[in-house]
Amino acid sequence: MNIKILKDIEISANLGDITIRTDGRSVKILFNRSLENVKEKEFTREENLLGLIQFENVFIQKFGYPNDEGLHQHNYYKNGLSFYHGHLVEESDWIKEWNDKRSVNKITGQNYLNGYNHYILTFQENTFECIAKKYTLRYYNDERQRILKEIF
């Protein structure tokens, strides 16, 4: 198993609201963006830097522990899971586990989750994981409430 950091997902190390919306097959997460790679920092209010990630064709998801203080207890920490990043787990044990569970069903077969990926997002207070086909990402420099109204 290999953990790859997804450099396009820039998560703030500062405590911020995380808003999650799911309809069962799609998950949207609105989060605070890291100021690190923003070119015009002096013209930007940090609380208005937001990222919206949307996972498509979600098979399963989980959200909660560990937070940043307990991240070292995560099963993938020794494989490269790091703080405040998006990650792709290559050769995921979680996908293998679900393929094995689904293999008893002759219709879906052993490779039911071919084309799916295991993603992990590490935030200050929580960790989000899902098995999904893909994600899209967009950044905003705007007020959270307006974006919530418009997108959620």
Side-chain angles (χ1 to χ4, degrees):
M1 157 195 1
N2 186 35
I3 307 291
K4 178 180 171 185
I5 293 178
L6 301 171
K7 295 184 189 270
D8 59 330
I9 303 173
E10 303 169 352
I11 298 171
S12 174
N14 296 330
L15 182 62
D17 290 337
I18 300 166
T19 304
I20 299 177
R21 180 170 185 211
T22 182
D23 64 11
R25 298 290 292 155
S26 172
V27 176
K28 292 180 183 179
I29 303 174
L30 186 66
F31 62 92
N32 288 24
R33 179 184 184 185
S34 172
L35 193 57
E36 189 174 311
N37 294 320
V38 176
K39 291 182 172 97
E40 301 196 18
K41 294 177 186 174
E42 61 272 11
F43 301 111
T44 304
R45 292 179 51 195
E46 188 171 9
E47 65 269 18
N48 287 348
L49 289 174
L50 302 169
L52 177 69
I53 189 166
Q54 181 168 343
F55 294 96
E56 297 293 339
N57 296 329
V58 176
F59 174 73
I60 193 168
Q61 62 186 307
K62 54 185 170 180
F63 178 72
Y65 191 81
N67 59 10
D68 60 355
E69 294 169 359
L71 194 61
H72 65 282
Q73 296 173 332
H74 194 287
N75 292 342
Y76 298 140
Y77 183 75
K78 291 180 182 174
N79 297 88
L81 188 67
S82 61
F83 301 94
Y84 320 117
H85 283 102
H87 304 82
L88 173 64
V89 181
E90 297 172 334
E91 300 173 26
S92 165
D93 294 342
W94 200 24
I95 290 177
K96 182 184 180 326
E97 172 191 343
W98 278 104
N99 270 331
D100 290 348
K101 287 178 182 180
R102 300 291 301 226
S103 69
V104 298
N105 181 341
K106 293 183 185 192
I107 296 170
T108 57
Q110 193 165 4
N111 294 317
Y112 177 74
L113 294 174
N114 268 358
Y116 280 78
N117 297 299
H118 179 178
Y119 298 103
I120 303 175
L121 305 179
T122 54
F123 299 101
Q124 185 176 25
E125 294 300 325
N126 297 287
T127 297
F128 174 83
E129 295 189 52
C130 72
I131 295 174
K133 286 258 186 179
K134 66 178 185 173
Y135 72 89
T136 55
L137 177 68
R138 186 167 172 198
Y139 287 114
Y140 297 89
N141 185 359
D142 206 341
E143 293 180 15
R144 177 176 291 276
Q145 290 306 316
R146 195 185 74 69
I147 293 172
L148 285 172
K149 275 182 172 177
E150 188 176 303
I151 296 174
F152 284 88

